[in-house]
Amino acid sequence: GAGVSQSPSNKVTEKGKDVELRCDPISGHTALYWYRQRLGQGLEFLIYFQGNSAPDKSGLPSDRFSAERTGESVSTLTIQRTQQEDSAVYLCASTPASGSNTGELFFGEGSRLTVL
Amino acid sequence: KNQVEQSPQSLIILEGKNCTLQCNYTVSPFSNLRWYKQDTGRGPVSLTIMTFSENTKSNGRYTATLDADTKQSSLHITASQLSDSASYICVVSAVTGGFKTIFGAGTRLFVKA
């Protein structure tokens, strides 16, 4: 597609359930980021994938959060045993190879997660 | 510690007026600074990018400035429109074997008729 695609756009779940969020980056973009944005707040870095290198997981808030990416394709962010505090918009962004890019992040529209 | 601080947190202006948003950073080694616009319920979109050697850059009614010595940037919006209501996020990239991006918390701008 032309842009970063995220699904689902909205997800309502019950506390304690697991959720999986998907991100389709722009074709050819080797770097992929996940961010969390709580209502009225700034973006919190969660995890960064760059090609086949080990991901930077330094932003994951707890071991309930995990993410995977196969090569330079789709990524999934999984939240296990969801808590109400996990309610937020989860934004995915991709960017071209670091050797040629200017650091611009291309964002998807986000997945809004509501934990009841 | 790499940080990006923005001010004000929020701002209300009348349609047609100008405004200036501020960004101070302590990021090194500095690569570039971007301003993003985030409409409500949407993902952020890049407005401008500035590298170390650039002092000012315009994109329509948006003009960004950069003072690399004082590590300050501003985003000036001229003749504001209702559609300018959004969050404006300052993002600074550091070159550390790849690009590390540090986000400011954003300034929430409300333009009223």
Side-chain angles (χ1 to χ4, degrees):
Chain A
V4 176
S5 177
Q6 292 189 245
S7 62
S9 55
N10 278 285
K11 176 71 175 178
V12 180
T13 190
E14 293 180 346
K15 178 181 174 181
K17 299 288 188 183
D18 297 351
V19 296
E20 192 172 277
L21 308 177
R22 176 189 169 104
C23 173
D24 265 295
I26 293 173
S27 178
H29 282 194
T30 60
L32 186 148
Y33 297 75
W34 282 98
Y35 292 89
R36 178 171 69 179
Q37 187 174 34
R38 292 193 168 112
L39 185 63
Q41 303 295 312
L43 275 72
E44 299 175 65
F45 166 75
L46 294 177
I47 189 168
Y48 162 60
F49 295 92
Q50 172 62 58
N52 293 317
S53 302
D56 177 354
K57 303 179 181 180
S58 60
L60 294 179
S62 76
D63 59 7
R64 295 187 297 104
F65 287 73
S66 63
E68 293 184 349
R69 187 186 188 197
T70 303
E72 298 178 1
S73 62
V74 171
S75 176
T76 55
L77 176 68
T78 302
I79 309 173
Q80 295 178 309
R81 306 180 302 283
T82 53
Q83 304 293 314
Q84 289 182 330
E85 68 208 40
D86 299 334
S87 296
V89 175
Y90 289 84
L91 288 160
C92 175
S94 70
T95 191
S98 60
S100 60
N101 78 350
T102 56
E104 179 175 3
L105 297 174
F106 295 83
F107 285 87
E109 300 291 12
S111 291
R112 180 177 297 278
L113 175 64
T114 303
V115 182
L116 302 177
Chain B
K1 182 181 178 182
N2 289 327
Q3 285 186 314
V4 176
E5 296 183 352
Q6 293 188 243
S7 62
Q9 285 188 325
S10 63
L11 182 63
I12 302 173
I13 62 173
L14 292 176
E15 185 179 15
K17 298 296 186 182
N18 304 334
C19 67
T20 300
L21 314 179
Q22 301 290 343
C23 174
N24 297 336
Y25 62 93
T26 55
V27 176
S28 67
F30 176 86
S31 174
N32 60 68
L33 182 149
R34 289 186 178 274
W35 284 92
Y36 285 80
K37 178 186 179 188
Q38 185 177 24
D39 292 312
T40 301
R42 309 296 296 273
V45 175
S46 179
L47 290 174
T48 65
I49 175 176
M50 304 191 72
T51 58
F52 186 86
S53 59
E54 295 175 305
N55 299 120
T56 184
K57 184 170 284 187
S58 292
N59 176 4
R61 294 180 296 102
Y62 301 102
T63 299
T65 65
L66 175 65
D67 185 332
D69 292 330
T70 62
K71 298 186 177 180
Q72 295 179 325
S73 175
S74 66
L75 180 69
H76 185 75
I77 303 175
T78 304
S80 61
Q81 299 177 359
L82 298 179
S83 59
D84 293 331
S85 295
S87 287
Y88 292 84
I89 306 169
C90 177
V91 183
V92 182
S93 292
V95 183
T96 54
F99 280 89
K100 185 174 181 66
T101 55
I102 298 94
F103 282 73
T107 292
R108 190 75 175 93
L109 174 66
F110 300 89
V111 179
K112 293 193 167 183

